[in-house]
């Protein structure tokens, strides 16, 4: 559907140009939420890392619905004011569970419809682990060992290790050679 819309826009631009004026169309990167494997900018990544397979604590992952979140964490969360995303037109709301050290970005069609997780952030005092055994406090070396096949060296720095990419991945924030935060999802749209 998105490809059809983009194609229609490009065709409209081409046909709207008058003969005496030349239209210059520059290619742009279009980010979608397709499950197709994107071409990776960094050939050092051994395989595409699909965050839909990254499970925290054995159950929490991208796509989990609100009822499952409430079943496991309860109703005692701090909800930010929801807003309509400029990225995709969906309703986004942040749910923070400070006692669990978890912040979730929830998405739905509107404020009243069923929400699901699109981003996960773990911070202290979280004791939850990623599917590869990394938690808050794990060493940077443990992260590099556990995620060696999907680390994106181009997008990583001294303060962060990126598994996959900033468009779909796991970002480990490093402070004093230990994990201080774990982010799962799209950091950039």
């Amino acid at each position: 559907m998105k490809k059809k819309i983009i194609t229609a826009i490009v065709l409209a631009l081409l046909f709207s140009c008058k003969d005496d004026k030349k239209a210059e169309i520059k290619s742009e990167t279009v980010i979608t939420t397709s499950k197709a494997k994107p071409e990776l900018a960094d050939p050092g990544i051994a395989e595409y890392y699909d965050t839909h397979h990254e499970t925290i604590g054995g159950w929490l992952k991208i796509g989990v619905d609100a009822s499952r979140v409430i079943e496991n964490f309860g109703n005692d969360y701090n909800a930010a004011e929801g807003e309509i995303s400029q990225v995709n037109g969906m309703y986004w709301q942040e749910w923070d569970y400070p006692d669990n050290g978890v912040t979730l970005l929830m998405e739905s069609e509107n404020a009243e419809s069923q929400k699901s997780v699109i981003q996960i952030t773990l911070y202290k005092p979280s004791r939850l682990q990623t599917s590869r055994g990394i938690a808050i406090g794990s060493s940077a070396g443990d992260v590099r060992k556990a995620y060696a096949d999907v680390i994106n060296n181009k997008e990583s720095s001294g303060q962060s290790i990126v598994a996959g990419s900033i468009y779909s991945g796991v970002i480990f924030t490093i402070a004093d050679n230990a994990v201080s935060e774990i982010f799962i999802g799209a950091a950039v749209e």
Side-chain angles (χ1 to χ4, degrees):
M1 182 66 173
K2 288 183 182 182
K3 286 183 181 181
K4 288 181 183 179
I5 292 171
I6 293 169
T7 302
I9 291 170
V10 170
L11 289 174
L13 286 172
L14 286 174
F15 289 114
S16 68
C17 295
K18 294 183 180 180
D19 291 336
D20 59 333
K21 294 182 181 178
K22 293 183 180 180
E24 183 178 319
I25 299 175
K26 297 180 180 179
S27 68
E28 295 183 8
T29 302
V30 178
I31 301 166
T32 67
T33 56
S34 169
K35 291 186 180 180
K37 293 183 180 182
E39 290 201 28
L40 297 171
D42 185 355
I45 301 174
E47 61 182 77
Y48 172 67
Y49 190 69
D50 185 356
T51 56
H52 288 85
H53 297 296
E54 181 66 57
T55 304
I56 303 295
W59 67 273
L60 180 58
K61 63 182 183 175
I62 303 297
V64 165
D65 66 44
S67 61
R68 183 111 189 256
V69 171
I70 292 168
E71 177 184 310
N72 283 276
F73 287 142
N75 275 319
D76 192 21
Y77 58 87
N78 300 324
E81 186 174 332
E83 61 185 40
I84 301 300
S85 165
Q86 293 182 355
V87 173
N88 64 3
M90 299 290 280
Y91 179 82
W92 286 1
Q93 185 178 41
E94 192 173 271
W95 291 9
D96 185 37
Y97 288 92
D99 292 342
N100 299 89
V102 176
T103 299
L104 305 172
L105 183 59
M106 306 298 287
E107 180 182 76
S108 59
E109 289 185 23
N110 57 57
E112 293 78 34
S113 61
Q114 179 64 34
K115 294 170 183 56
S116 62
V117 175
I118 62 167
Q119 291 178 349
I120 303 166
T121 304
L122 303 180
Y123 58 91
K124 196 173 186 175
S126 177
R127 294 175 176 243
L128 298 172
Q129 294 184 356
T130 68
S131 58
R132 298 189 184 194
I134 302 300
I136 301 301
S138 294
S139 73
D142 288 343
V143 173
R144 291 196 176 281
K145 187 185 301 181
Y147 288 85
D149 60 324
V150 291
I151 288 179
N152 185 325
N153 290 317
K154 186 175 181 181
E155 294 176 357
S156 297
S157 70
Q159 293 83 31
S160 66
I161 299 172
V162 179
S165 78
I166 58 175
Y167 300 101
S168 176
V170 182
I171 302 172
F172 300 92
T173 302
I174 307 298
D176 297 323
N177 202 36
V179 175
S180 61
E181 184 178 280
I182 301 171
F183 174 87
I184 301 166
V188 179
E189 293 287 336

